[in-house]
Amino acid sequence: MKRFLRKLLKHLLYVIAIPVTYVIVSIVLSYITVNDSNAIKTNNTIFLNTNGVHLDIIIPTPLLEEKLSNNLNINTQKYISFGWGDENFYLNTPTWGDLTFKNAFSALFINSSSLVHVTKYQQKKGKWVEVNISDNQLNKLNVYITKSFKLDFNQEKIILKDKGYSFNDDFYKATGSYSCLKTCNTWVNSALKTSGIKSCYWTPFDFILLKKYKN
């Protein structure tokens, strides 16, 4: 009996150690800043927004390149928000009240298809966090987000009709698989990092990345 209990305790410690290690490593890597240069001349302003957990990148429509804006049905909207995430989670968890253990576990630990969430705004929101970037950084950011969309045989973005949460948003098929190593927030961070914009070395969190722009 004692031997069984020792084995059980050992396995429990292993189970606990995995998420604890994940959180510790995530925090350490999140506080390592990359592309932190004040010498770059910035001409453009984009924004970051969070719902408390999930980050989006918001770009004023005049700063969108044609390849990115194509097929997005922008019309007269002034700001376009881009988020990336797990398809099942996006479609079946419109609010945090709809969150289930099954959906969360599936998103984090089972490689699954992903979506780009596009939301359109007429006005800037007060809670958005400003990020000043250069023309070159803006170009790279446009390219990064464009490549996140999966395309059909006609090289057009694949929209999921009538799947948005409201009148001003849509979901599109995306490239890549969601996992605990590539989350909605690591996608945003990678977008900034790849574009030469101040970001974390790696982060699954929203708050540490936002903190770099609130100081």
Side-chain angles (χ1 to χ4, degrees):
M1 185 65 178
K2 289 183 178 180
R3 186 177 180 182
F4 170 77
L5 290 175
R6 282 198 297 267
K7 285 187 176 182
L8 179 60
L9 179 60
K10 184 177 180 180
H11 287 304
L12 287 175
L13 288 174
Y14 281 137
V15 171
I16 295 172
I18 293 173
V20 170
T21 301
Y22 177 85
V23 170
I24 293 173
V25 172
S26 298
I27 291 175
V28 171
L29 295 181
S30 296
Y31 276 101
I32 299 174
T33 303
V34 297
N35 303 323
D36 188 12
S37 174
N38 295 321
I40 299 175
K41 182 179 179 181
T42 59
N43 306 307
N44 315 288
T45 300
I46 63 170
F47 305 89
L48 296 177
N49 182 44
T50 181
N51 64 3
V53 177
H54 170 94
L55 278 172
D56 289 327
I57 298 171
I58 302 168
I59 304 178
T61 51
L63 302 184
L64 296 175
E65 295 181 358
E66 185 177 356
K67 282 188 176 181
L68 178 54
S69 62
N70 188 37
N71 306 128
L72 294 184
N73 302 317
I74 293 175
N75 299 319
T76 60
Q77 286 84 1
K78 296 181 180 180
Y79 300 91
I80 308 298
S81 170
F82 299 93
W84 180 95
D86 176 75
E87 180 171 358
N88 178 61
F89 194 92
Y90 258 143
L91 298 181
N92 295 304
T93 314
T95 68
W96 292 116
D98 300 305
L99 179 64
T100 65
F101 175 81
K102 180 181 178 181
N103 286 345
F105 182 89
S106 175
L108 288 173
F109 300 108
I110 299 176
N111 282 346
S112 54
S113 56
S114 57
L115 298 175
V116 175
H117 188 209
V118 177
T119 308
K120 304 151 194 174
Y121 297 94
Q122 278 287 9
Q123 296 180 331
K124 183 177 72 171
K125 307 296 182 181
K127 64 178 181 178
W128 293 355
V129 177
E130 291 189 1
V131 179
N132 297 316
I133 64 176
S134 68
D135 291 339
N136 183 51
Q137 291 169 332
L138 176 63
N139 173 255
K140 291 180 179 179
L141 182 62
N142 270 271
V143 171
Y144 181 94
I145 298 176
T146 299
K147 288 182 177 180
S148 295
F149 285 87
K150 185 177 287 186
L151 305 178
D152 62 16
F153 292 112
N154 296 318
Q155 298 301 297
E156 293 186 349
K157 300 177 181 69
I158 306 170
I159 188 172
L160 274 62
K161 294 184 178 180
D162 303 320
K163 292 294 185 180
Y165 297 146
S166 62
F167 69 93
N168 67 328
D169 72 307
D170 293 293
F171 287 104
Y172 294 80
K173 287 287 188 178
T175 58
S177 296
Y178 190 100
S179 71
C180 61
L181 298 178
K182 186 175 182 181
T183 70
C184 52
N185 295 329
T186 65
W187 179 83
V188 170
N189 187 69
S190 293
L192 302 183
K193 185 178 179 181
T194 302
S195 303
I197 303 168
K198 183 168 65 172
S199 50
C200 305
Y201 186 83
W202 179 84
T203 186
F205 307 120
D206 62 338
F207 64 96
I208 299 179
L209 180 58
L210 291 175
K211 186 177 179 181
K212 296 183 187 298
Y213 290 96
K214 291 182 177 180
N215 292 338

